[in-house]
Amino acid sequence: MAAYYPQRAVTAPATNIPGPRQRLAMGGRSVVELWPCIPIALRMRTTVAILSYGDQLTFGITGDYDTTPDLDALAGQIAAEIPVLLAHARRGGSPD
């Protein structure tokens, strides 16, 4: 029944998926990067996925440019805030 009713309040989900800390291999080759992706569907036109892999944190933004033409601005703001969050984490404080 829950799947029958659309969730009108959810328009841009974001998820944080902890990935493996150790390096992976596939077909005898080292996996260099993992890129997270959440598909868009129905009323969800923008999604943000966050995935850690080794010592790397990757953001994957999926969106429909016809309904959300400012996806580059969203990506830019995420990139601008990462150093701010990192500084807070290093000094043990919480972001205001």
Side-chain angles (χ1 to χ4, degrees):
M1 183 162 180
Y4 179 75
Y5 295 102
Q7 294 186 10
R8 298 179 200 284
V10 177
T11 57
T15 181
N16 178 14
I17 305 166
R21 291 183 175 263
Q22 73 281 2
R23 288 290 187 192
L24 302 176
M26 178 181 276
R29 307 285 302 234
S30 178
V31 176
V32 177
E33 286 183 304
L34 295 177
W35 292 357
C37 179
I38 303 172
I40 56 174
L42 301 174
R43 291 191 172 109
M44 268 186 262
R45 307 314 302 157
T46 305
T47 62
V48 179
I50 308 162
L51 175 69
S52 61
Y53 174 55
D55 294 332
Q56 185 174 321
L57 192 64
T58 304
F59 287 74
I61 301 170
T62 307
D64 174 22
Y65 275 108
D66 290 338
T67 58
T68 316
D70 55 353
L71 290 172
D72 291 336
L74 173 61
Q77 289 300 312
I78 290 172
E81 288 301 315
I82 294 296
V84 174
L85 292 172
L86 184 58
H88 283 289
R90 285 187 173 153
R91 70 172 188 257
S94 62
D96 297 332

